[in-house]
Amino acid sequence: MLHGPAFAARPRAVYEQLRAQGPAGWAEIAPQVHALVVTRHRAAVTLLNDTRTYSKDARLWKALNNGEIPEHSPVLGMMAWRPSVLYTDDEQHARLRWAMDDCLARINPHQLRETTRRSALTLIARIIDKGRADLMGDFADILPMLVFAELLGCPPEKTARMVHACQDLISAGPEAARGATDFAGLLYELIQMRRVRPGQDLTSWMIGHAAELSDDEALNQLFCAVGAGIIPVAACTAWTLHLLLRDDDYAGNLAAGTLTVRRALEKALWERSPMANFSVHYARYDTVLHGVHVPGGVPILISHAAANTDPALPQGLGYENRSHLAWSAGPHRCPAISQATTIVQTGVETVLDQLWDMNLTTTDPEPVLRHGPFHQCPQSMPVSFRPKSHDRLPANTLAGGTS
């Protein structure tokens, strides 16, 4: 089972069970929801690049079409079809990907670093005098939400609402559906506002793009960009910090200036893929993947976490080698790798600079993960440090509208 407390506590043991089935194995990803999960790196790369055999269109999901999936299943928010780049193929995908790539390319990298730094300092200001914090809930979770609020052109008076909606959306509890509805409503309001008053933001660029997206397409494109951005960025930020704080060699090299945060980030992507199991595809017809029978219309997930730690990978590959699948691969490879990396790297560097004496307060090298089949994210990451004065923070750089 790729869900529940047992999976959250020991995910690697579950991946070993899946590997015993072959390059892909059957798993329950939610109550009464079953899927094939690809655990071998080579098989994953084959599938991700074979668009003739495998589709991203969730309308091919036979069990869902036959009414066999519970109406309120927690996986539907991430797997049900939407008119966005994540769920389309061929010409429709090319058109939506064109809009997404163009809009993301307009984000100024220097401005993104400054936005991330200001957002990080805002969060640090809330904990700097306390001497302890949860780096997951107090920092990594909220940082990408604040950054995306600014990227979307969300007015300050709506930012808190967006953060709360996103927090509900990414939870594994009953509030997830409410968060998705609230966030979609906020995006609709932003789209209507930016049609009247365009700005220099993702919302305005998306609705004004030459691809001529409908309001529904624009909303779901933005929903995809934020949904696919917040969870992986938060998890990657947490795992990079965990590596730097837990691994004595990394921490010592960082202090000595011989290790960059970027190198630690790449190691975290290999070992702790933020999206553990996703990249959902459906075979267009019955087929065979590296010797495994794949029925048509069945969800096939790529286990990025298992594929990246596949024992069949060459030894000594090195963490600077970026052939990992944390960003997926093929035509649906993440379009925002540069932007996501900038947010993680800047956020980690900022919090390490301000709270340089942080120490993890737990001794367990394997934190318990949040429940759910898709993301690989620690439930918490408690740290302690010497309390510091707010005076050391540059007040004019703090972000607003987040109370």
Side-chain angles (χ1 to χ4, degrees):
M1 293 198 305
L2 263 69
H3 65 96
F7 175 61
R10 299 186 65 211
R12 296 183 183 184
V14 177
Y15 296 142
E16 286 303 313
Q17 293 175 348
L18 279 168
R19 287 192 182 106
Q21 298 186 46
W26 288 96
E28 184 181 83
I29 60 174
Q32 302 179 54
V33 183
H34 298 88
L36 272 170
V37 181
V38 181
T39 56
R40 298 284 175 83
H41 191 278
R42 284 183 60 243
V45 171
T46 296
L47 186 152
L48 291 167
N49 286 281
D50 186 357
T51 58
R52 291 186 178 183
T53 307
Y54 302 98
S55 168
K56 292 285 289 179
D57 192 337
R59 291 172 296 187
L60 297 174
W61 188 358
K62 286 184 178 179
L64 182 62
N65 295 335
N66 293 338
E68 298 169 10
I69 304 301
E71 182 180 356
H72 300 293
S73 175
V75 300
L76 289 178
M78 296 282 279
M79 291 177 63
W81 185 84
R82 295 175 181 271
S84 80
V85 68
L86 188 60
Y87 303 94
T88 50
D89 302 304
D90 307 322
E91 292 182 2
Q92 187 180 10
H93 174 258
R95 171 174 161 269
L96 295 174
R97 181 67 184 237
W98 171 37
M100 183 71 80
D101 287 346
D102 279 2
C103 293
L104 291 172
R106 295 185 67 173
I107 297 174
N108 184 302
H110 302 291
Q111 185 176 340
L112 180 59
R113 279 193 289 273
E114 182 55 27
T115 297
T116 303
R117 180 172 174 271
R118 283 191 288 105
S119 298
L121 289 170
T122 298
L123 299 175
I124 294 166
R126 300 176 184 177
I127 60 175
I128 195 169
D129 61 345
K130 300 185 185 304
R132 59 181 56 247
D134 173 10
L135 280 184
M136 194 70 246
D138 295 329
F139 186 76
D141 271 337
I142 308 176
L143 178 64
M145 297 181 193
L146 298 184
V147 175
F148 269 94
E150 190 157 331
L151 291 176
L152 290 169
C154 187
E157 64 273 14
K158 294 181 183 289
T159 298
R161 177 182 159 198
M162 176 185 157
V163 169
H164 294 152
C166 287
Q167 286 176 320
D168 287 345
L169 175 63
I170 66 175
S171 75
E175 65 272 18
R178 181 189 64 204
T181 300
D182 290 347
F183 185 55
L186 177 60
L187 288 177
Y188 180 79
E189 293 171 19
L190 282 176
I191 288 170
Q192 303 312 310
M193 181 174 67
R194 291 308 178 199
R195 285 206 184 277
V196 177
R197 298 192 304 276
Q200 294 300 308
D201 53 69
L202 274 175
T203 306
S204 300
W205 299 334
M206 194 70 73
I207 62 179
H209 194 269
E212 298 182 341
L213 274 59
S214 66
D215 280 359
D216 194 32
E217 288 175 328
L219 187 152
N220 282 286
Q221 286 276 93
L222 295 172
F223 197 105
C224 172
V226 176
I230 286 177
I231 299 174
V233 168
C236 188
T237 299
W239 289 125
T240 302
L241 283 166
H242 186 268
L243 174 64
L244 291 167
L245 296 174
R246 170 67 64 197
D247 190 310
D248 290 339
D249 290 337
Y250 267 69
N253 288 336
L254 184 72
T258 59
L259 177 76
T260 65
V261 169
R262 178 59 186 267
R263 287 182 60 195
L265 187 160
E266 291 297 337
K267 180 177 180 180
L269 288 172
W270 270 105
E271 295 186 342
R272 308 278 194 174
S273 179
M275 294 303 289
N277 309 286
F278 202 50
S279 298
V280 187
H281 286 71
Y282 304 83
R284 301 175 191 269
Y285 45 80
D286 288 3
T287 187
V288 175
L289 175 68
H290 287 228
V292 176
H293 174 64
V294 179
V298 166
I300 315 166
L301 277 62
I302 303 296
S303 179
H304 308 113
N308 283 353
T309 55
D310 183 355
L313 284 171
Q315 296 298 308
L317 205 54
Y319 295 115
E320 288 78 10
N321 183 305
R322 296 176 187 174
S323 60
H324 59 73
L325 298 178
W327 306 115
S328 192
H332 284 272
R333 181 174 168 84
C334 174
I337 296 173
S338 174
Q339 292 84 359
T341 300
T342 295
I343 296 171
V344 173
Q345 186 170 337
T346 304
V348 169
E349 289 173 348
T350 303
V351 74
L352 289 176
D353 180 54
Q354 296 295 331
L355 305 177
W356 68 89
D357 55 346
M358 283 189 299
N359 290 293
L360 289 168
T361 58
T362 59
T363 57
D364 189 352
E366 294 292 330
V368 175
L369 304 182
R370 288 177 176 168
H371 292 195
F374 303 125
H375 53 274
Q376 183 172 211
C377 193
Q379 286 186 4
S380 64
M381 193 175 296
V383 295
S384 63
F385 50 88
R386 183 172 57 81
K388 298 168 181 60
S389 169
H390 285 89
D391 294 341
R392 65 172 280 107
L393 296 173
N396 63 337
T397 65
L398 301 186
T402 59
S403 60

